[in-house]
Amino acid sequence: MKKKNVSIFIALIFFQLQIIIPRSHAQTAKKQFKADIIIYGGTSAAVTAAVQATRMHKTVIIVSPDQHLGGLSSSGLGFTDTGNKEVIGGLSREFYHRVYLHYQENNGWKWQKKEQYGNMGQGTPAIDGKDRTMWIFEPHVAEKIMEDFVKENHLQVFRKELLNRKHGVVKKSGNIVSISTLSGKKFNGRVFIDATYEGDLMAAAGVSYHVGREANATYGETWNGVQALVFQHGHHFASKIDPYKIPGDKTSGLLAGISTETPGANGTADKKLQAYCFRMCLTNVPENRVAFPKPDRYNPLDYELLVRVFNSGWKELFNKYDPLPNHKTDTNNHGPFSTDFIGMNYDYPEASYQRRAEIVKDHENYQKGLLYFMANDSRIPKGLQEKLNTWGLAKDEFKDNGNWPYQIYVREARRMIGNFVMTEKEVLGQKEVPKPIGMGSYSLDSHNVQRYVTPEGYVQNEGDIGVKAPKPYSIAYDAIVPKAFECKNLLVPVCISSSHIAYGSIRMEPVFMILGQSAATAASLAIDGKKAVQQVDYNQLKLNLLKQGQRLSVFSPN
């Protein structure tokens, strides 16, 4: 090869290397990201936290395990558990104001005229013209509002990024330095917020938590632990129903869904969880209705117990088809045998991602199978079956998921154990709450935990509790921060430090939005003051929250 040609060849190689090396570096760099505040989760709390962080001039990244944002708020829970709406402030109230604005427009009413809708909400009018809020909405409307928050605030969101729960949390001197996801992405931050329903970041960071029901003796409560033969919602077997495959024959085995275990003594602890389900969006508009599909796994024998419930004279099937705009529903569990897949979620909080996916799929198959069974089996009372078949899944909801909700209702998973634990005493107004950052007002509300055979030989449910809070109550700042020796730069606004039964009231979507905003405010102040989250000046935090329109106590000037 001539000398000139060699020189040209070398020059070309060098030029290519100059291109390749920077590209390789860029590809590596794309795996690492940095912001003041890193939020793990795709829930409504995650979105409000991110918006507030931006409003306080902090850089923020949402690392969402989910594709769709908003959690249950945009996944079927449109008949909002408001409690006392006057204690819902800040970005949470702004969300419901945006719902109101959507339904003020004519194009918000595709399948129904506004004047035909009515105005029934849960303890409050659905449309509140005076406060310009609306508390009842379709799932896609909630998701659009969440996405509007993202666009308007230029939020950086990484979707379908699962935390590496084994090796993905790096800590130094009691602070989280970075988190990594299973895709290999690494997120560095100054303060972190776990806004998941499961509390995965909290757990991976080595923070103390609890799963299951505490004993009443643990925090001096009345409604915690096992609550056998305590019936407060009507979701129990009011008639004597035989639990065996062949009635009267114990040797034939129990019907599907009935545990061979018996509950412990009332008030004692266990590791069991209140039941999960999907909040379904149904419609009776023929042009928008999809017939109830047969699930991937279907066995009519799974629903034999329901036939016996109907045969006992129970006819309340449609009592929780709560109306949403445009002839849709938020359909929730109701009665002794319904959409709650009782006893099938106990291992969910600590389970691997694969096992969780299996649990979610089992719940989907159970619930789809329940609808398919009621719509097609000849043993269902004819009148109820005919009415049911006027309903179906909404064609214009959850379009990329077979019209099925994206998010299972994780009513309870892990709960942090911080320096302050919210208990029924705070919820019921028996004890003052220090350093309030938001409010709740809903009843102590736990769904059933287990289905068993009574000593008399009949089937019964256990765990369903509903005790009204006499007035709104405050939620403590120390309930959303870990103990300082465990982690100094983490806030947990969803899996907060709370007993099982107190969480039954706190676990409402408006409250999660409130706590998400308060968590981001505290995170911003911690960064500004170069302090641990436990050392944030509460008076400064309180002043900021009041300026944001948060309601902090019954004595709050807001």
Side-chain angles (χ1 to χ4, degrees):
M1 185 181 288
K2 292 182 180 180
K3 186 175 182 180
K4 184 178 179 180
N5 290 340
V6 171
S7 298
I8 293 172
F9 178 73
I10 292 172
L12 285 170
I13 293 294
F14 180 73
F15 178 71
Q16 289 175 337
L17 285 172
Q18 282 185 307
I19 296 173
I20 292 169
I21 290 171
R23 283 182 178 174
S24 176
H25 176 73
Q27 289 169 352
T28 302
K30 283 184 179 178
K31 287 287 188 179
Q32 297 199 32
F33 306 89
K34 186 176 182 180
D36 293 325
I37 300 173
I38 306 296
I39 300 168
Y40 184 61
T43 62
S44 58
V47 176
T48 56
V51 171
Q52 185 57 38
T54 300
R55 291 183 179 182
M56 296 187 75
H57 310 293
K58 298 297 179 287
T59 56
V60 60
I61 295 174
I62 296 178
V63 183
S64 173
D66 312 300
Q67 176 66 33
H68 298 271
L69 299 179
L72 260 295
S73 288
S74 54
S75 204
L77 206 168
F79 198 74
T80 305
D81 301 309
T82 50
N84 185 327
K85 63 184 175 64
E86 297 304 323
V87 305
I88 300 171
L91 283 166
S92 185
R93 180 166 285 262
E94 182 175 334
F95 170 84
Y96 297 104
H97 172 60
R98 290 184 179 221
V99 172
Y100 172 85
L101 293 178
H102 173 85
Y103 287 108
Q104 289 301 300
E105 301 294 329
N106 289 334
N107 60 13
W109 300 92
K110 181 176 181 180
W111 305 108
Q112 180 181 37
K113 291 183 179 180
K114 181 181 177 182
E115 54 269 23
Q116 295 174 331
Y117 168 60
N119 204 21
M120 187 185 79
Q122 188 173 171
T124 187
I127 305 172
D128 189 333
K130 179 184 175 182
D131 288 346
R132 292 172 59 80
T133 52
M134 186 165 175
W135 307 97
I136 313 298
F137 49 86
E138 299 159 275
H140 75 270
V141 173
E143 185 173 9
K144 181 183 181 300
I145 293 170
M146 294 296 173
E147 294 295 346
D148 286 345
F149 276 137
V150 170
K151 292 174 185 176
E152 293 166 14
N153 294 276
H154 307 288
L155 299 177
Q156 191 174 12
V157 183
F158 290 83
R159 302 171 194 257
K160 300 184 76 172
E161 291 287 345
L162 293 168
L163 177 69
N164 183 334
R165 289 156 59 187
K166 290 185 178 180
H167 309 292
V169 178
V170 177
K171 290 175 69 179
K172 185 177 180 181
S173 302
N175 288 285
I176 301 173
V177 176
S178 66
I179 64 172
S180 298
T181 58
L182 294 180
S183 71
K185 292 184 179 66
K186 185 176 182 180
F187 300 90
N188 295 273
R190 300 171 71 181
V191 177
F192 293 77
I193 296 175
D194 184 340
T196 62
Y197 292 122
E198 294 84 5
D200 283 342
L201 174 55
M202 170 190 72
V207 171
S208 299
Y209 60 87
H210 187 86
V211 175
R213 298 184 287 187
E214 300 92 348
N216 274 327
T218 303
Y219 298 117
E221 296 177 296
T222 301
W223 301 110
N224 211 335
V226 175
Q227 298 287 330
L229 302 181
V230 177
F231 308 128
Q232 296 177 335
H233 277 134
H235 304 320
H236 63 281
F237 293 89
S239 302
K240 296 178 178 180
I241 295 181
D242 193 290
Y244 300 104
K245 293 178 182 178
I246 300 174
D249 183 0
K250 293 182 179 181
T251 64
S252 65
L254 294 168
L255 293 174
I258 302 175
S259 175
T260 57
E261 298 181 12
T262 55
N266 276 17
T268 58
D270 60 23
K271 293 295 183 182
K272 299 172 181 176
L273 298 169
Q274 58 176 310
Y276 298 170
C277 72
F278 287 91
R279 297 286 286 249
M280 299 180 299
C281 185
L282 308 181
T283 183
N284 60 0
V285 176
E287 307 94 300
N288 195 37
R289 185 180 68 214
V290 177
F292 296 122
K294 189 175 184 179
D296 295 334
R297 191 201 68 79
Y298 176 68
N299 184 354
L301 293 177
D302 290 344
Y303 310 102
E304 174 65 31
L305 184 56
L306 178 61
V307 173
R308 297 183 190 182
V309 172
F310 283 132
N311 289 343
S312 73
W314 188 83
K315 298 184 184 300
E316 301 173 25
L317 177 61
F318 300 100
N319 283 29
K320 283 301 291 179
Y321 279 41
D322 293 316
L324 305 182
N326 288 304
H327 290 298
K328 295 178 185 175
T329 73
D330 169 354
T331 298
N332 193 14
N333 180 81
H334 182 74
F337 190 105
S338 185
T339 59
D340 278 359
F341 200 16
I342 299 172
M344 304 301 166
N345 60 341
Y346 298 156
D347 58 333
Y348 180 88
E350 304 279 30
S352 67
Y353 292 127
Q354 180 181 347
R355 175 61 187 140
R356 282 185 186 168
E358 293 170 355
I359 294 170
V360 171
K361 186 62 177 177
D362 287 344
H363 279 71
E364 179 184 335
N365 281 332
Y366 164 79
Q367 206 160 327
K368 283 183 176 177
L370 173 65
L371 293 166
Y372 185 83
F373 178 81
M374 290 192 296
N376 294 281
D377 197 279
S378 60
R379 293 173 293 168
I380 302 300
K382 186 177 179 181
L384 292 177
Q385 189 170 70
E386 288 177 347
K387 184 178 178 181
L388 179 67
N389 279 312
T390 66
W391 292 92
L393 304 181
K395 192 182 296 183
D396 60 352
E397 299 288 352
F398 317 120
K399 293 179 182 179
D400 59 348
N401 197 45
N403 310 114
W404 192 254
Y406 303 122
Q407 171 71 55
I408 193 171
Y409 196 171
V410 179
R411 290 189 171 94
E412 184 178 356
R414 299 183 181 98
R415 287 171 284 105
M416 183 170 65
I417 303 175
N419 284 322
F420 188 89
V421 180
M422 293 287 298
T423 72
E424 70 176 43
K425 291 183 177 180
E426 286 77 26
V427 173
L428 298 180
Q430 299 167 1
K431 191 175 178 183
E432 189 175 348
V433 176
K435 299 192 291 187
I437 56 165
M439 299 189 74
S441 62
Y442 207 77
S443 301
L444 298 172
D445 181 40
S446 173
H447 281 233
N448 279 307
V449 174
Q450 56 193 324
R451 179 173 289 147
Y452 68 103
V453 179
T454 67
E456 293 76 28
Y458 302 108
V459 63
Q460 194 51 268
N461 296 332
E462 182 275 322
D464 181 65
I465 297 295
V467 178
K468 186 176 177 59
K471 63 181 180 179
Y473 59 91
S474 299
I475 299 170
Y477 176 62
D478 288 339
I480 70 166
V481 296
K483 296 172 182 176
F485 70 86
E486 292 182 336
C487 191
K488 295 184 285 189
N489 68 336
L490 174 68
L491 295 113
V492 185
V494 177
C495 295
I496 79 167
S497 180
S498 165
S499 71
H500 152 73
I501 197 60
Y503 197 73
S505 173
I506 295 165
R507 63 176 180 84
M508 305 302 159
E509 288 291 299
V511 178
F512 287 154
M513 291 187 224
I514 291 167
L515 297 181
Q517 181 176 7
S518 294
T521 303
S524 300
L525 294 177
I527 290 170
D528 291 343
K530 299 180 180 180
K531 296 178 178 179
V533 293
Q534 293 84 0
Q535 297 173 331
V536 168
D537 185 311
Y538 175 69
N539 289 328
Q540 189 181 9
L541 175 60
K542 178 180 178 180
L543 183 62
N544 273 269
L545 296 179
L546 291 175
K547 286 180 179 178
Q548 295 162 18
Q550 294 275 49
R551 274 68 162 172
L552 305 185
S553 72
V554 291
F555 307 108
S556 171
N558 295 72

